[in-house]
Amino acid sequence: MNRSRSSCARFFVLIVIGLAILAVGLVFNVISAIPTKAENLFGPATSRLSTSQHYLLSYKLVNSQDLLLTPVDPTGAEVPFTITPDEPINSILLRLQSHGLIPDSEAARNYLVYTGLDTRIQTGEFTLSPAAAPIEVITALLDTTPGDATLVILPGWRLEEIAESLPTTGLEISAQEFIQAANGRGYHFSFIGEVPTGAKLEGFFPPGSYQLERGLSAEQVISYLLDQFDQLLPNEIEEGIQQQGLTVYQAVVLASIIEREAVLEEEMPIIASVFYNRLAIGMKLETDPTVQYALGYNTSQATWWTNPLSYTDLTFDGPHNTYLYNGLPPTPIANPSLTALQAVAYPAQTPYYYFRAACDGSGRHQFSQSFEEHLGNACQ
């Protein structure tokens, strides 16, 4: 009897020890993941931090990410802001909070110390906006004159074209780092949840010219561009997208095709109507840019957009090839402009199912309702 009780007691102790080891392991894994998550959100920490400071600040930043990444007032107007010589950082941050430019001065202080930017606040006159993310408000106060970088994204560029332009921007990140960061999911935006597993964040980098700090990490650049997209869509466009029966992600997919097809912006709503008409009857989209995207880089032409396409190209078997597969391709094929997104939200109402480039070199298209009429529009 005593032996039986002793064995049960030992077995119970072993179970308790095992559970304790498992719990410690789980806690360790959670704690170890915090710096990585913080780096994905805010970039790498400064090397000046001790290990304990790194973990503590990473934990604080992850838990206050809304206070740093979400604008105080998305519709707020710009306001003047002055920093006098020798004003303490805490005083500056408290005034930013009192002006409604950032929601929490302590979170802002943690971000500055974490990144090592706390010594780079400059004096002077600034114009700041509560519609910007708090970390953008903070970095606007930095002495970035010697480190300014200009990133230009052209309408219809694919991710790789943005990456290839980086050496001319002044940013201190490589093309590979940028593409790798664009494969991540650690970004705090609702539309990220619609991106298929394993897909890049293609389509969410709005065309435009951006003044950025030279020392930003790839993740910070990506986060900045995603924030620009998040601010790009007014409510009426999102409502228009919903009325078309599409999600935001599907709208970006379709807008990216329209961006690559259209030469003239005024034709975008008509081109959108053609694609909607085809989708409504289960007809393939059969659009060349999706094939070009599927083919990838053309070494002989030194371009990502093979032109002209051959018949063999049209048979290339890839999920983006809309000559082979019905419906929208699985991901966007480029980064569309706001005009293309507006065309998706509010397409023209037409009977057209076909279009082809006009023969006069104007960039315009000829639209037709029947395939016979479409054939008749061919250049002689």
Side-chain angles (χ1 to χ4, degrees), residues 294 315-322 324-325:
T315 64
F316 179 81
D317 193 0
H320 288 85
N321 187 346
T322 55
L324 299 181
Y325 296 97

Side-chain angles (χ1 to χ4, degrees), residues 320-338:
H320 288 85
N321 187 346
T322 55
Y323 281 87
L324 299 181
Y325 296 97
N326 275 313
L328 294 170
T331 69
I333 63 169
N335 292 279
S337 62
L338 177 60

Side-chain angles (χ1 to χ4, degrees), residues 93-149:
L93 297 178
L94 285 170
R95 287 199 300 114
L96 287 174
Q97 181 176 333
S98 67
H99 281 66
L101 292 164
I102 62 173
D104 189 276
S105 61
E106 183 179 355
R109 170 78 181 192
N110 291 335
Y111 170 75
L112 287 172
V113 175
Y114 169 87
T115 55
L117 300 176
D118 50 317
T119 61
R120 294 181 55 189
I121 298 293
Q122 65 174 332
T123 60
E125 304 287 335
F126 302 88
T127 301
L128 304 176
S129 172
I135 60 172
E136 294 175 40
V137 174
I138 299 166
T139 54
L141 305 177
L142 301 179
D143 183 8
T144 59
T145 303
D148 282 348

Side-chain angles (χ1 to χ4, degrees), residues 207-224:
S209 178
Y210 304 101
Q211 297 297 314
L212 302 172
E213 183 188 348
R214 183 184 296 269
L216 291 180
S217 69
E219 289 76 14
Q220 287 175 309
V221 173
I222 296 294
S223 183
Y224 174 84

Side-chain angles (χ1 to χ4, degrees), residues 26 33 45 49 78 80 90 100-101 124 128 131 147 163 168 224 241 353 356 368 373:
L26 290 174
L49 298 179
E78 293 182 336
N90 286 341
L101 292 164
L128 304 176
T168 65
Y224 174 84
I241 289 171
Y353 289 89
R356 71 191 320 153
S368 53
E373 184 183 356

